[in-house]
Amino acid sequence: MSDHTMSFLANGNGESHTTNGHSHLVVNGVSMTNGKSSSPPTSSNFALPLRRNKGQAGDDEEEGLNFKAPDHHKDLLAAMLSLQREHQFCDATLRVGERELPVHRAVLAAASPVLFELFSRAGDLHHTGAMYKLKHISFQTFKYILDYMYTGRLHVTAEEVGDVYKTARALRVEQVARACSTFLASRLTPANCLGVRKCACEDEEFRGLVDDFIQRNIDKIINNKHFYGLPDLKVEIIGAEEALERGGSERQLFNLVLEWARTNVDESKPKVELLTEEVNVLYLNTENHLQDCKEVNDSTISEDDMVSDYKKHSRRRSVRKQSPDSGEHSQIMNGGKALPFHKFSISPERSPADNEWSVIAISKQGESSYVGLAVLFGKTMTISLHLRHHATPTIPQAGVKLAAQVLDRGDQAVTLKPLETMATSRCAFGACLWNDSIVVFGGYDRGQCLVSVEAYSIKDDRWSQLPSMKNPRARFGAAAIGDRLYAIGGSDGTQDLDSVHCLDFSANKWKAIASLNVPRSSVGAAELNGQLYCVGGSEGQRRLASCEMYDLNKGTWTFFASLNIARYQAAVSTFTGGLVAVGGTDSWNCLSSVEIYNLGTNTWTIVSPLNSARRGAGIAVFGDKLWVIGGSDGVSSLRTTEFYDEDSETWTYGPQLNVPRANVSAVSLQGSLYAIGGFSGKKFLNTMEVLCEDKHQWCGFLPLKKQNGQAGAEAVKDDRKDVKCQQNGDISGTES
């Protein structure tokens, strides 16, 4: 058998014999006596009666002819297949997708109990030419199974075995399903096991094999790109470590999280994704149940700074109760009139697998941090769980301003102080670093182009206003060189721009410089070797492949090598001594392609594509990797992130954002990666998320500054004291 295909031959050997004077034919274990079967036909066996021979043992008559054709069943099936392919003596037509297949109902009914039921209940067993429509099934998948029904042979490409397995299970063609599950179970890898698990959810034995593999290989699976593409339920639990000390297990805690989640989801229309929109802070009470801290009135934890901040800054989640669908399903009769064909769906709107709630595997990631793989209402998800000791409130001395407490998420230390929000929500804006601050400028807010400029100080966790731009501008390229920020091209809401303005911090004002050769909106820009580079974009309905470079000494724009693929809304950055243009759109499709510019050869080269096509993504170099964050797939805003490894030339999914962000900006500063603003698909955002050096997960809290290899919060000052928080959460005041 080839590594790339699965082949299977059903055992069809039969034998004839005589018992008590009656003739029998036994085929695959089914005995027929005088034309009556001792067991009903199934998907793998059937029987035909034989005429009784004269002169058998015990008779006085002369013994007659007793003959058995060794290949009769093979020849018969081969002849039936030939008749089917020639459309001869077929008594029904199956419509699968847009294709029609003439078939012999007897063959299909003998092989599939589900099709036997379909043909029987249609009420026209004696009518030839009936048409049946199979819904929710692909033609090629069914064709594999149809060929098996006629031949007993199955030959499927490895990529299609999963689909054939699901269809065979639905049709109850058990031997095919068993052959497929055996094939899939023997070829499990950390890369494919999550996809196989989705197939195996209704087969207890098969599911057990896959779950066992996942548990044994969970640490490898966590580092796979398919794992990072899953929805992530983030949970902080107060009081859980005490339960573990009393003999509880991590799996019990995860099961409690599932129990809590189930009570917060409407089972008639489950939307578990709503629980992933923010971090859920839960309290393990004395009755061993989890409660959302927003609903807990216990004074001992209400005084906890973390719970107080959670109640204050997190909005209440509510999964609205919705009534079940009242629509009627298609039946054989509709409005009293017969349909032109019989509709039959092998995929019910809700299968038993859709009701599965289970914890598959758990991996410990830090002293108090765990990652689990679970199924919630049939949907595979990850659960990021952090355990937190209940802290006794500390009463500060008079005049001492308490710094935010420290939360240890595995190796990622963050404070419990939410990141300060921008004064203005914005997307499709510029973001640059200047003097250890993040400067954002322009963009859109509810369709209005902006002129405002804000700077964020990480040290003070504060946004402050800077001089506004000369004109409203969005979808422009942004870059910084020295003490100057540049806004290149873009749109003012009515027309594409060729103008370029810069903010000179030494003069604290904006001024115009030389214009582009071509107006460009949705353009990318970056600084390389002290020069400005402008990449792609659009002019009206025309997408651009051309690129321009600004020579600061000459004060002029000149063209350089064009992109291989014209694109706009691409993410552009410097990387490994050159430029990179990632994703974007060609007007019709979101792009996954990536191009890297070599300054020495003045050429763009296409490299490994993204895992997910996206436009309007944020981009930044973080550590030694190139990160692409959020964006849009052309239909919805994205939470997914990816990073590029130059050595392996591969893209890998990173942790998901807490909020979908399209037309988002990203910057890397002081060991942290920031995702700023954007559009969630529902509203324009003024919030930020941060990913620290450990790269475990994004959060909306202030990161800690690394000091002498230890995590410590930046000092929070008032007139009398500097107050610092260490990683263990202790608070101390020191005199100035």
Side-chain angles (χ1 to χ4, degrees), residues 136-398:
H136 306 121
I137 181 172
S138 75
F139 175 81
Q140 184 57 56
T141 299
F142 183 76
K143 189 66 169 58
Y144 285 129
I145 297 175
L146 182 67
D147 288 347
Y148 168 82
M149 291 174 175
Y150 276 93
T151 67
R153 292 180 178 273
L154 188 67
H155 190 72
V156 185
T157 62
E159 295 77 13
E160 295 175 289
V161 173
D163 291 333
V164 172
Y165 167 77
K166 289 187 287 187
T167 303
R169 283 279 301 178
L171 293 173
R172 290 169 56 193
V173 185
E174 301 298 347
Q175 284 191 327
V176 172
R178 193 176 304 115
C180 291
S181 64
T182 301
F183 179 88
L184 293 170
S186 67
R187 286 162 174 77
L188 289 171
T189 68
N192 70 16
C193 62
L194 297 182
V196 174
R197 178 55 168 77
K198 293 179 181 178
C199 296
C201 50
E202 293 186 30
D203 185 334
E204 184 175 352
E205 180 181 355
F206 185 23
R207 185 179 67 232
L209 292 173
V210 179
D211 286 356
D212 180 65
F213 177 88
I214 292 174
Q215 181 63 69
R216 287 185 285 106
N217 295 274
I218 184 63
D219 292 327
K220 295 179 181 178
I221 295 168
I222 286 174
N223 295 318
N224 189 272
K225 65 181 182 181
H226 299 289
F227 184 86
Y228 283 114
L230 297 173
D232 184 29
L233 176 62
K234 292 172 283 294
V235 177
E236 298 279 343
I237 301 182
I238 298 175
E241 290 196 345
E242 290 84 350
L244 290 178
E245 291 170 359
R246 294 194 299 268
S249 69
E250 293 90 351
R251 184 168 287 271
Q252 287 175 327
L253 286 178
F254 274 86
N255 284 329
L256 287 176
V257 172
L258 259 63
E259 180 183 316
W260 168 82
R262 193 163 193 167
T263 62
N264 283 270
V265 174
D266 180 1
E267 296 197 13
S268 64
K269 277 196 171 183
K271 294 183 179 180
V272 293
E273 294 84 355
L274 295 177
L275 300 177
T276 68
E277 292 181 350
E278 61 180 17
V279 177
N280 302 276
V281 182
L282 309 180
Y283 173 58
L284 185 62
N285 62 26
T286 55
E287 298 178 354
N288 210 33
H289 291 292
L290 290 174
Q291 293 177 272
D292 196 314
C293 283
K294 288 183 286 192
E295 301 167 355
V296 175
N297 295 319
D298 190 322
S299 60
T300 59
I301 68 167
S302 295
E303 295 176 10
D304 188 294
D305 286 346
M306 176 182 181
V307 176
S308 178
D309 285 343
Y310 178 68
K311 287 184 174 182
K312 180 179 178 181
H313 295 282
S314 298
R315 63 180 178 83
R316 179 182 297 274
R317 277 187 313 271
S318 62
V319 180
R320 300 184 181 274
K321 300 294 182 181
Q322 300 180 11
S323 60
D325 286 340
S326 58
E328 297 179 357
H329 303 299
S330 297
Q331 303 291 336
I332 295 176
M333 300 297 292
N334 182 13
K337 297 181 180 179
L339 292 171
F341 44 72
H342 307 292
K343 291 183 178 180
F344 184 74
S345 173
I346 67 166
S347 300
E349 289 191 1
R350 191 151 191 84
S351 69
D354 293 331
N355 295 318
E356 182 184 358
W357 287 78
S358 65
V359 178
I360 300 174
I362 300 169
S363 174
K364 190 170 185 178
Q365 298 294 296
E367 183 178 351
S368 302
S369 299
Y370 302 84
V371 172
L373 186 67
V375 180
L376 285 73
F377 258 126
K379 188 175 185 65
T380 306
M381 302 177 66
T382 64
I383 299 177
S384 299
L385 190 151
H386 180 264
L387 309 183
R388 182 174 178 273
H389 278 293
H390 172 50
T392 302
T394 303
I395 302 175
Q397 302 174 10

Side-chain angles (χ1 to χ4, degrees), residues 11 74 120 218 261 310 356 401 404 407 509 517 672 695:
N11 180 8
K74 296 180 182 177
S120 298
I218 184 63
Y310 178 68
E356 182 184 358
K401 190 181 197 178
L407 172 64
K509 66 179 182 180
N517 293 295
S672 298
K695 306 177 182 64

Side-chain angles (χ1 to χ4, degrees), residues 616-650:
I619 188 169
V621 177
F622 183 40
D624 60 349
K625 304 290 191 296
L626 179 72
W627 285 70
V628 175
I629 299 158
S632 169
D633 61 5
V635 177
S636 57
S637 299
L638 301 176
R639 295 173 55 206
T640 56
T641 67
E642 303 185 40
F643 58 86
Y644 179 74
D645 181 81
E646 185 184 18
D647 293 335
S648 63
E649 298 182 348
T650 57

Side-chain angles (χ1 to χ4, degrees), residues 649-665:
E649 298 182 348
T650 57
W651 289 93
T652 303
Y653 281 112
Q656 290 193 359
L657 297 164
N658 294 294
V659 179
R661 297 175 184 266
N663 291 317
V664 60
S665 289

